Amino acid sequence: MNRLLKLLTCTACALAVLIGPGGLSQAAEHSPTLDETIQTTPAGKLIPVVLVLDSRVSMDEVYPNALALAMDARRDYVIRTLKERFAMMSESVWPYLADEKKAGRVSLLRPLWVVNSIRVVLDPALIADIDSKFPEVVYILSDQRYDNTLDAAGWGLLDIEAPRCWEEVEANGSGVILGHKDSGCNTALPAFANNLWVNPGEDLNGNGHVDTIEQNEIDDDGNGYVDDFYGWNFEDDNAYLYPTDGSGHGNLTASVIASALGTATNPCDTSAVAPGVKLMILKSYTSQSSVWEASQYAIDHGAMVISASLSFKLSDCGDTVRDCPNLVMHRRVSEMELAAGIIHANSTGNYGLSNPVPMSCSAPSTCPPPAMTDGHEQQGGVSSIVAVSAYLSGHVHFSQSGHGPGGWSRDDICFTAGSPISRMPFCGPAGSSNAYPAEYEDYPWQDGAFPGLAKPDVTAPTVVSAVDRGGFCSSINGTSGATPHVGAALALIYSAFPGITPEDCYRYLIAGIQDQGEAGWDSLWGFGMVRPYAAILEGRGLRGTIAGTAAIGQSPVEGVRVSVAGNQPVYSNSNGVFRLVVAAGDYDVLFERYGYLDIHLNRHVTAQGTVNADVELQVAPQTTLAVSVVNYAGAPLADMPVWIPEIERSGITDVNGYATFNDIYAGAYDVHCGALPWAEHVVNADVHSDPLTVTATLNYSPQATVSGPDEYGYYIYDNYDSPQAAFEWVEINPNAGGLNGECLNITGDNCAPRTLPFDFQFYGVSTTSVRIHANGFVLFGTTCSQDWGSNPIPRVEAPNGYVAPMFTDWMPTAASCVYYLADNANHRVIVEWYNVIEYYETGPARFEIILYDPQFMPTPSGDGAMKMQYDGWEGRYEGSVGVENPTGTDGLQYYFQGYYEPHAAPIVPGRALLVTTDPNLSAADEARPTSPQQFLLSQNYPNPFNPSTTFAITVPHRAQVRLTLFDVLGREAAVLLDGVREPGVHSVTFNATGLSSGIYFARLESGGAIYTVRKIMLLK
């Protein structure tokens, strides 16, 4: 018998001793106020209590044994002991309470196994029943709520009637994940202790808290962010443990949305419009792409609402700042937010008419709302954005709020008073990558000739109390103070109507508005002042509820997806209970969970009514799914990734093009296949009890064709195109073991002039003079530009006549120098930006450009060919990649501010880009890539495993590869592979004999870079 089993056996013995031959006590004691609470509670109203069970685990009983164990076993032992004790003591009373919950006499039922208790909100009449039937309940505590102990509540919170939402319609934001897009948050403050979203992929023990053992600097969920417990710092691409608030602004706005009520934790106690909300901290505010990436993260991780008290203004277009706001990209992102089910409150800015209509409302608040209403004169496209202006106490409009209407047409976006905005993206010539999208010609304003887009949407309170980053009471003003009121109001509506769509959420928000200013919509107040309580009442008059329990026999099933057409799905909780609010009508209710058969129930729902939909689940049979992956000609494709995201299964096709998944449960799955140069393809597999084979036919991706040409004739080939650009990194930093390159010692926004050892023709002009710029580009000619802000390509304003591997505000230092080498023996010049850091400390990045002597690499036009290569690329960069002619009137833009040309492959380590006027590269380069194009570690199979499992690793080129295993403390547990491997897919089988059961992490490394981390589980 092992030590842990002995400890558990002793615990059971101790329980028998504690209970003793006389059995349990026969009467539960009541806390002093409980009986009074019961007597004064109106009939039909539930009360919160805690049921304390007999024979709790004491510190003396468990602690000495725990100290004798290693940390991971210690944690498991304590948790298991507490849970087992709770299971023994709650064996009778828990099913009783679950039945009463089903009957509606219990609303909240939670195990408090850490103190051997049950938290429950119940009908007071049940307490007498518990007293007489369950002697194991030894004490019943009244769990009363305390009124606000301060002298006054926040005027904004009261003005929008948030407390009525909590008290009268029981909507406080619970169940809603809200993406807080701002300058971060001091997550260590007690005010936020119960309001932080915790990433389940990083929460290894699933307890909803960030424990020391989980702070392991490992990307546990493989999402590309290491230890993103509460969100991420997208500004400098890190958030180890906390995306900390650097300016204080984000802390203030977060506290208005959701923070603890009560003087012990919140010194203001005047905010917290939605105190039940979980805040996903998305630190992003100084660069547009960080804001877009934050939205991507919110989509990928289940946020339902975004609140953003930040914006990008038209006045940013001056030459002394970085760039114009990229309105087109903001709209594209906000469209995808809405498509994914997100609604997004955004401030309109505090610059009033200093930014003239139709762009007084700053980006992205100028984007369309989630739904059109009768108050919108023009009915065009939609997106996630609810634009927020502000009002002061006494319902006085905050005059600096962004004004409406907005305008969406090329004339509105790209011109001001008839003059082009020179730095505005997506205002290039028709047919170019920089052209204004035709689909956004849907809300023209054009100097007032058309109505334009109704903006703002709503107005909310500002100059309200809020908690600063030091934990003290302060205030927040401007539209920054108004926006969190609206983000939180949206969360209140969501919590009142589980399953509601963002479109209906917006409609109810507008329907409940209190009109102010001119009747109906006006350009200052929008539709009026936000009133979530009225919005919820409006919705309740039209909607009903589908509720019930998902179970097998008496055992509830958690995580069952419950859905009907036209609504977002909801999931059953740990007690199997679900609640879905829908419009009145007839519904086919679908129940889905992996491992169980799909079940359909037909239900008729009336307005304001509740219909029961209890469901008895059935375990699904297991079978085999084979996926055959072929190309457009029917030929099998080997080494092709195949994955089923909803059940986290993945594989790689064999030489015959097959990937086989054994022991898969029956059900309908979307099977994904493909990797560049092939376009990803999704095939549906409806798996029953018999083995099934499905075929996925892949075509080449648009990214597998060349970018260009521009008007002159330049193309940009990447290493997925046919013909392709081959990645052949040439290191020229001698301190890194490279060739003897010269450190140019350029810093700031300066250039280093150099004379080429050969004539180089660029856009038809021959030169030997170049200026190598610290900010990631090479100018052809004798003039250096001091520009540090990246530009769209082409652009008439300086700089012109350059090639840019990545034009952004780099900060080279002595340790991260720009190197130059005239490699005469190979007829080329190489410039390398070695480990440079971007202005906002993103990085490091390592990239280079190679200029080839046209005499030795000729092109049809006589212009020199250039290759741009990327060897290290850590983070996200504002900037531009491409080539521009000397007058700024022509060029080829490969990348700009997060937007790639449609045929461009994303820039990652190992990417090569060949700039040339040759439409057909040499025959040696014409074959499509036959070997993989990136390092990849596929999920092991089987997983969980005992004791053996197999990994597949993908190697794009001959390289030293290391595959290691780490435990949850970050200690190396095993080395599975350490050696040179040729290009291709390699199988690695691992036998874990000698390791203890638990979670481990497999990590693939090459050249000092970590490419993939997979979480695996050993069960013995």
Side-chain angles (χ1 to χ4, degrees):
M1 182 181 295
N2 64 37
R3 182 176 181 83
L4 184 57
L5 182 56
K6 286 180 180 178
L7 291 175
L8 294 176
T9 304
C10 290
T11 300
C13 297
L15 178 60
V17 171
L18 286 168
I19 295 174
L24 297 159
S25 58
Q26 296 299 305
E29 184 179 354
H30 293 184
S31 64
T33 61
L34 179 60
D35 292 336
E36 181 181 349
T37 301
I38 294 172
Q39 294 168 7
T40 58
T41 298
K45 187 172 179 61
L46 308 183
I47 63 172
V49 300
V50 174
L51 309 181
V52 180
L53 304 175
D54 200 2
S55 302
R56 71 176 181 86
V57 176
S58 70
M59 188 66 165
D60 288 342
E61 181 183 347
V62 72
Y63 190 62
N65 293 328
L67 285 177
L69 300 171
M71 284 302 299
D72 53 347
R74 170 178 166 176
R75 177 179 296 275
D76 290 343
Y77 162 65
V78 173
I79 291 174
R80 188 178 306 174
T81 302
L82 291 171
K83 286 187 173 181
E84 287 190 352
R85 182 68 57 84
F86 175 78
M88 293 176 188
M89 302 312 303
S90 63
E91 187 176 27
S92 298
V93 68
W94 186 271
Y96 164 82
L97 294 170
D99 288 341
E100 293 298 335
K101 191 174 194 301
K102 190 173 179 180
R105 290 184 288 271
V106 168
S107 65
L108 177 72
L109 181 60
R110 295 283 190 270
L112 291 176
W113 47 261
V114 70
V115 286
N116 202 36
S117 301
I118 299 173
R119 181 186 174 203
V120 58
V121 177
L122 45 62
D123 187 325
L126 297 178
I127 291 179
D129 211 15
I130 294 170
D131 280 339
S132 63
K133 292 181 178 179
F134 303 103
E136 62 268 36
V137 179
V138 295
Y139 198 54
I140 304 179
L141 303 171
S142 179
D143 191 22
Q144 296 184 38
R145 296 183 179 181
Y146 291 85
D147 293 334
N148 192 332
T149 58
L150 297 184
D151 294 334
W155 79 268
L157 182 148
L158 296 176
D159 195 67
I160 69 171
E161 299 183 314
R164 297 190 72 181
C165 296
W166 315 336
E167 296 162 7
E168 298 182 30
V169 294
E170 298 180 349
N172 70 352
S174 294
V176 177
I177 300 172
L178 187 147
H180 176 246
K181 193 184 290 188
D182 211 299
S183 61
C185 179
N186 185 351
T187 55
L189 288 178
F192 298 113
N194 297 316
N195 291 104
L196 295 174
W197 169 82
V198 177
N199 179 4
E202 297 286 347
D203 181 16
L204 301 180
N205 60 20
N207 66 356
H209 301 283
V210 180
D211 301 304
T212 302
I213 196 172
E214 294 164 345
Q215 299 167 28
N216 53 23
E217 298 189 66
I218 294 175
D219 183 11
D220 296 329
D221 54 359
N223 67 351
Y225 306 99
V226 176
D227 284 352
D228 52 320
F229 296 112
Y230 302 129
W232 195 253
N233 180 351
F234 298 96
E235 287 300 307
D236 54 12
D237 202 34
N238 76 78
Y240 176 61
L241 195 56
Y242 305 126
T244 306
D245 183 9
S247 73
H249 185 275
N251 214 81
L252 296 168
T253 55
S255 71
V256 175
I257 298 168
S259 51
L261 298 176
T263 57
T265 55
N266 187 339
C268 287
D269 201 15
T270 58
S271 303
V273 174
V277 150
K278 294 296 185 183
L279 293 168
M280 177 188 292
I281 308 302
L282 308 171
K283 185 173 181 178
S284 55
Y285 62 105
T286 61
S287 65
Q288 294 180 103
S289 67
S290 71
V291 171
W292 303 330
E293 189 178 358
S295 291
Q296 174 180 284
Y297 187 95
I299 291 171
D300 201 30
H301 292 80
M304 302 164 69
V305 180
I306 289 174
S307 180
S309 293
L310 55 90
S311 57
F312 299 87
K313 289 83 176 170
L314 178 66
S315 52
D316 290 346
C317 291
D319 285 339
T320 60
V321 296
R322 290 184 173 270
D323 299 290
C324 291
N326 193 332
L327 275 74
V328 168
M329 283 294 289
H330 283 296
R331 182 162 176 181
R332 287 176 174 172
V333 171
S334 64
E335 286 175 335
M336 293 303 101
E337 288 177 354
L338 181 65
I342 289 177
I343 190 168
H344 176 157
N346 209 101
S347 57
T348 58
N350 302 329
Y351 286 79
L353 288 175
S354 63
N355 288 304
V357 171
M359 285 192 281
S360 171
C361 292
S362 50
S365 68
T366 189
C367 296
M372 294 290 104
T373 70
D374 293 340
H376 291 88
E377 284 193 61
Q378 295 188 40
Q379 305 283 310
V382 293
S383 77
S384 63
I385 300 298
V386 181
V388 183
S389 289
Y391 66 86
L392 306 169
S393 178
H395 298 172
V396 177
H397 185 263
F398 176 63
S399 61
Q400 292 173 268
S401 297
H403 292 221
W408 281 93
S409 72
R410 189 175 190 276
D411 285 348
D412 292 319
I413 302 300
C414 300
F415 292 82
T416 297
S419 300
I421 298 174
S422 62
R423 301 179 74 93
M424 182 68 75
F426 293 100
C427 288
S432 71
S433 299
N434 192 34
Y436 183 80
E439 65 269 26
Y440 293 166
E441 294 278 354
D442 50 350
Y443 294 102
W445 182 77
Q446 297 172 13
D447 293 325
F450 301 93
L453 175 62
K455 286 290 170 179
D457 293 272
V458 297
T459 312
T462 194
V463 190
V464 296
S465 296
V467 181
D468 66 20
R469 60 179 172 169
F472 301 102
C473 190
S474 183
S475 65
I476 181 72
N477 55 27
T479 55
S480 287
T483 301
H485 286 81
V486 177
L490 295 168
L492 295 178
I493 297 172
Y494 263 125
S495 67
F497 305 118
I500 195 174
T501 64
E503 292 83 0
D504 278 343
C505 187
Y506 177 78
R507 292 187 185 102
Y508 293 145
L509 180 78
I510 300 303
I513 219 77
Q514 180 178 326
D515 196 15
Q516 188 76 356
E518 299 176 15
W521 179 85
D522 66 73
S523 62
L524 297 183
W525 292 87
F527 288 98
M529 298 183 293
V530 65
R531 294 292 183 267
Y533 176 71
I536 292 171
L537 292 185
E538 181 75 22
R540 282 199 165 184
L542 302 173
R543 303 180 80 85
T545 302
I546 301 171
T549 302
I552 289 186
Q554 296 297 313
S555 301
V557 179
E558 184 179 6
V560 177
R561 185 179 190 269
V562 185
S563 61
V564 299
N567 276 60
Q568 296 191 78
V570 298
Y571 294 83
S572 62
N573 64 17
S574 59
N575 299 313
V577 176
F578 61 88
R579 177 172 169 261
L580 179 65
V581 180
V582 297
D586 294 312
Y587 291 95
D588 174 17
V589 189
L590 174 61
F591 299 84
E592 303 170 285
R593 193 184 190 286
Y594 182 61
Y596 300 88
L597 293 176
D598 292 351
I599 293 179
H600 294 262
L601 294 180
N602 294 316
R603 290 294 183 268
H604 175 73
V605 181
T606 59
Q608 304 182 58
T610 298
V611 61
N612 180 270
D614 289 343
V615 63
E616 179 74 18
L617 299 175
Q618 301 177 45
V619 176
Q622 288 184 308
T623 185
T624 298
L625 171 65
V627 183
S628 170
V629 183
V630 299
N631 67 12
Y632 52 85
L637 292 173
D639 301 332
M640 192 60 58
V642 179
W643 66 101
I644 310 173
E646 59 194 297
I647 59 174
E648 299 182 353
R649 296 284 294 272
S650 62
I652 296 177
T653 56
D654 59 21
V655 293
N656 298 311
Y658 280 88
T660 303
F661 300 92
N662 296 309
D663 302 325
I664 191 170
Y665 286 101
Y669 304 107
D670 288 333
V671 181
H672 296 244
C673 313
L676 285 172
W678 302 96
E680 182 179 327
H681 180 74
V682 180
V683 59
N684 181 261
D686 193 359
V687 183
H688 298 286
S689 56
D690 295 327
L692 175 69
T693 299
V694 295
T695 299
T697 302
L698 304 188
N699 292 298
Y700 284 120
S701 166
Q703 293 174 303
T705 56
V706 66
S707 300
D710 63 3
E711 292 181 9
Y712 181 79
Y714 273 106
Y715 297 84
I716 299 180
Y717 295 86
D718 60 54
N719 46 346
Y720 282 119
D721 293 339
S722 178
Q724 63 169 301
F727 178 76
E728 299 168 321
W729 180 259
V730 184
E731 181 57 63
I732 62 170
N733 176 1
N735 298 319
L739 302 177
N740 193 28
E742 170 196 3
C743 176
L744 299 179
N745 293 316
I746 48 175
T747 59
D749 305 317
N750 299 311
C751 293
R754 286 296 180 272
T755 300
L756 301 178
F758 45 76
D759 288 336
F760 190 87
Q761 185 170 303
F762 181 74
Y763 279 98
V765 178
S766 183
T767 184
T768 58
S769 296
V770 294
R771 296 292 183 272
I772 299 165
H773 205 290
N775 288 331
F777 58 99
V778 175
L779 290 147
F780 293 90
T782 58
T783 302
C784 181
S785 165
Q786 296 297 310
D787 210 310
W788 49 267
S790 60
N791 302 305
I793 298 174
R795 176 178 179 264
V796 174
E797 288 75 17
N800 306 122
Y802 66 88
V803 58
M806 176 52 77
F807 178 3
T808 191
D809 196 3
W810 299 110
M811 299 189 300
T813 65
S816 59
C817 196
V818 181
Y819 288 88
Y820 172 86
L821 176 67
D823 185 9
N824 297 324
N826 292 294
H827 314 290
R828 61 189 181 182
V829 163
I830 305 168
V831 181
E832 178 185 356
W833 287 260
Y834 181 84
N835 284 358
V836 288
I837 304 294
E838 202 263 345
Y839 180 80
Y840 287 110
E841 299 186 357
T842 303
R846 189 166 57 256
F847 56 94
E848 68 184 7
I849 185 165
I850 304 174
L851 309 181
Y852 296 100
D853 186 343
Q855 297 297 315
F856 292 86
M857 186 181 283
T859 63
S861 66
D863 291 271
M866 300 166 280
K867 181 181 284 188
M868 302 183 286
Q869 301 193 117
Y870 306 86
D871 188 53
W873 204 249
E874 298 181 21
R876 159 221 30 84
Y877 306 103
E878 293 281 299
S880 55
V881 176
V883 59
E884 183 181 279
N885 75 356
T887 61
T889 56
D890 187 22
L892 182 55
Q893 179 175 288
Y894 188 88
Y895 168 87
F896 179 64
Q897 286 190 357
Y899 171 76
Y900 285 94
E901 195 272 340
H903 302 288
I907 294 175
V908 295
R911 180 71 68 240
L913 307 178
L914 182 64
V915 184
T916 178
T917 57
D918 192 346
N920 296 294
L921 299 184
S922 64
D925 295 325
E926 287 182 359
R928 288 191 181 272
T930 57
S931 63
Q933 297 297 295
Q934 59 185 342
F935 288 98
L936 175 67
L937 172 63
S938 297
Q939 188 66 54
N940 61 308
Y941 184 80
N943 189 38
F945 67 99
N946 179 28
S948 295
T949 190
T950 300
F951 298 86
I953 62 168
T954 304
V955 180
H957 53 80
R958 190 174 190 271
Q960 179 80 23
V961 178
R962 181 177 171 87
L963 179 60
T964 48
L965 207 65
F966 295 86
D967 64 16
V968 293
L969 295 178
R971 300 173 300 194
E972 186 176 285
V975 177
L976 284 62
L977 172 66
D978 191 359
V980 175
R981 290 296 182 269
E982 300 297 327
V985 179
H986 304 270
S987 177
V988 179
T989 298
F990 171 63
N991 188 301
T993 300
L995 294 182
S996 59
S997 296
I999 293 173
Y1000 293 87
F1001 303 92
R1003 187 168 78 187
L1004 179 65
E1005 303 172 73
S1006 182
I1010 299 173
Y1011 287 95
T1012 315
V1013 176
R1014 296 287 184 185
K1015 182 164 64 175
I1016 69 174
M1017 182 177 290
L1018 172 60
L1019 293 180
K1020 291 187 174 181

